[in-house]
Amino acid sequence: MEDYNYVHSDTDLDIISKKEFWKLIKAGLIIDARAGGLILGPSIEQGGIDCVAETPDGFTKIGKIEGGVFIVNSLANKNYSDKLLAFNAYDTLFYEDEPVDYIISPTTCVYNTYGVEEKLVWLRGDEFIMNKYASFKFLKEIEEINYFDFRV
């Protein structure tokens, strides 16, 4: 995993046992975002959203993301990494960038982390995390890339 994808924190390397992880799933505290999609939730300044990935020892906290990012699945990341990197270089938002006639595609998963601070986002660890500014500006193109390579 590369540093541009996540904000690493002091929670990195916390291990959650597989038994505890499945309890968290049953309690609705795990969001399975391995297929990609748009994340709604707090900014990094507001605490962000913890991400976990499976390891032989259990599930490890791998960092934090923030609301507004788009997770691009592993296969799409592998096939379109150059294009995604180019999109992700966009790190500012301008008024003229606001889409006026685009609605999120019905094929896009939207994951809401608001309301429960303990929610964890489950990733494989090799997805591409599109920053919130690039996600906003290039949403249609990112959705198409993610959907085209949906099967991971």
Side-chain angles (χ1 to χ4, degrees):
M1 192 167 12
E2 299 187 34
D3 286 340
Y4 62 81
N5 282 343
Y6 303 92
V7 173
H8 294 279
S9 70
D10 57 359
T11 62
D12 292 355
L13 304 179
D14 286 354
I15 303 286
I16 300 168
S17 72
K18 291 182 181 187
K19 183 177 180 181
E20 183 63 24
F21 185 80
W22 294 112
K23 285 182 185 177
L24 293 171
I25 284 181
K26 287 181 181 177
L29 297 175
I30 302 291
I31 295 171
D32 184 354
R34 295 173 296 168
L38 184 63
I39 300 288
L40 304 178
S43 68
I44 291 298
E45 295 78 20
Q46 296 169 320
I49 306 146
D50 284 320
C51 296
V52 295
E54 188 170 9
T55 67
D57 297 326
F59 290 81
T60 302
K61 290 186 181 179
I62 57 174
K64 288 185 180 278
I65 58 174
E66 65 181 332
V69 303
F70 196 105
I71 298 171
V72 178
N73 71 62
S74 301
L75 186 57
N77 181 20
K78 186 187 319 180
N79 291 335
Y80 296 95
S81 61
D82 290 344
K83 190 171 199 167
L84 295 170
L85 279 169
F87 285 162
N88 219 32
Y90 189 84
D91 60 1
T92 317
L93 195 60
F94 297 100
Y95 179 73
E96 60 269 18
D97 293 329
E98 187 171 335
V100 292
D101 62 352
Y102 186 69
I103 298 172
I104 294 172
S105 167
T107 60
T108 294
C109 294
V110 178
Y111 305 104
N112 185 4
T113 68
Y114 281 116
V116 181
E117 289 183 26
E118 296 83 25
K119 279 192 179 177
L120 299 171
V121 173
W122 179 13
L123 300 173
R124 288 170 40 116
D126 56 357
E127 295 87 351
F128 190 96
I129 308 301
M130 189 66 57
N131 76 57
K132 63 185 176 184
Y133 305 110
S135 297
F136 189 73
K137 180 161 179 67
F138 303 108
L139 181 60
K140 184 176 182 181
E141 295 93 335
I142 297 165
E143 285 179 319
E144 289 169 359
I145 287 169
N146 191 67
Y147 183 70
F148 181 74
D149 283 337
F150 183 76
R151 301 282 176 220
V152 290

